[in-house]
Amino acid sequence: MINGPGLECLEGMLLVNGPWRGGTGGAGLALVVGSHYVAGVDLFSRSWDALLAAVAELREEDFARPSGCRGWLVRDLVCHLVIDAQDVLITLATPADTEPTRDAVTYWEVSDTPPSGEDPLDALTVRLAAAYEEPRLLTFHLDDVGSAAGRAARLADPALRVGTRDEVLAAGDYLGAYVLEWTLHHLDLVARLPHIPGPPAEGAARSREMLEKIAGTPFPASFSDQDALLVGTGRRDPTGAERAELGELAGRLPFVLG
């Protein structure tokens, strides 16, 4: 998930944070499939499909522009999405036979220190992106792996227990957590590309809800979902008026997710 610049790409840290996979072998035990699992899978698909469609609309010159992830160009962010898609495929193929230890909200590790972009794994992403040389090769790889991740998510049993990062989640919760990842990175993608459509409204609303649960308090009602996500994760600083509305919450920002 989640991240990098790496999350600053604040949630971008997710990207390479993932070594990583925990989980034990064995088939997942039967769980009661709650409606929130199904909703999580549905929003995962809609958010991911929208993000892939947005990448497909990029012009060649767009790849060399800065993204909303600190220290990353758009091409670096797209490369990160390739790794994210691989992460999804690996996790859905890593069943666990123990009780879940995390859910869609507690999946996230939270810090108040934005990434500097100097982490070796963040730097590796930049080198990998540069190795593609031509944007079409990068978008081809994302379309290939990303489509497979989308199919795997739609085919997954939401109640299956899966292992990732030495934790166990129901697949529905794992995919639900990625709604926040996709939404934040979609905002990162379009940060300086106004001609590219932003994330789906329903994904942004759900992502705000998850961020508010992480924060333990709601953001002001006057904040749009996108502004709550951008300010809450440190992707932009609040204005003076916004800081006044945030009150004590302003002193706790940002919530850096990894």
Side-chain angles (χ1 to χ4, degrees):
M1 285 195 160
I2 346 205
N3 62 150
L7 281 213
E8 244 232 336
C9 230
L10 296 178
E11 74 344 77
M13 296 187 332
L14 261 168
L15 159 115
V16 271
N17 270 0
W20 353 342
R21 317 250 87 54
T24 57
L29 301 180
L31 296 175
V32 175
V33 180
S35 60
H36 69 287
Y37 285 166
V38 177
V41 174
D42 181 56
L43 273 182
F44 172 98
S45 296
R46 282 185 277 170
S47 299
W48 184 227
D49 289 348
L51 183 49
L52 292 179
V55 172
E57 290 192 32
L58 294 174
R59 301 179 297 221
E60 184 169 350
E61 60 268 26
D62 293 336
F63 286 82
R65 294 180 179 172
S67 75
C69 293
R70 185 178 302 163
W72 277 3
L73 302 177
V74 167
R75 73 177 187 187
D76 306 322
L77 174 59
V78 174
C79 185
H80 170 74
L81 295 178
V82 172
I83 298 173
D84 264 355
Q86 294 173 340
D87 187 59
V88 170
L89 287 169
I90 293 169
T91 299
L92 293 180
T94 307
D97 56 8
T98 57
E99 291 296 322
T101 58
R102 301 286 181 106
D103 60 23
V105 174
T106 59
Y107 171 87
W108 299 98
E109 298 292 341
V110 184
S111 169
D112 60 2
T113 305
S116 64
E118 298 177 357
D119 182 273
L121 291 176
D122 293 341
L124 175 61
T125 300
V126 175
R127 294 197 299 273
L128 287 174
Y132 281 90
E133 295 185 350
E134 297 180 30
R136 65 182 180 82
L137 299 177
L138 183 54
T139 54
F140 175 81
H141 194 185
L142 177 62
D143 181 65
D144 192 31
V145 180
S147 296
R151 289 192 298 272
R154 287 189 288 271
L155 292 171
D157 176 358
L160 176 70
R161 297 169 182 176
V162 295
T164 180
R165 303 197 298 178
D166 295 324
E167 302 289 351
V168 176
L169 299 87
D173 271 332
Y174 171 73
L175 296 172
Y178 258 87
V179 174
L180 179 53
E181 172 82 351
W182 301 150
T183 301
L184 288 174
H185 279 324
H186 200 143
L187 292 173
D188 292 329
L189 181 75
V190 304
R192 294 173 178 82
L193 300 174
H195 61 285
I196 303 295
E202 60 272 26
R206 173 55 181 154
S207 296
R208 176 187 185 147
E209 179 184 340
M210 285 192 281
L211 182 61
E212 289 179 335
K213 288 181 178 179
I214 290 168
T217 187
F219 283 78
S222 62
F223 281 45
S224 69
D225 293 336
Q226 291 193 11
D227 284 335
L229 293 169
L230 292 172
V231 171
T233 61
R235 283 170 163 74
R236 76 166 176 83
D237 294 328
T239 64
E242 288 173 334
R243 185 172 293 277
E245 285 192 80
L246 287 165
E248 293 182 1
L249 180 57
R252 299 173 53 210
L253 299 179
F255 295 98
V256 181
L257 309 179

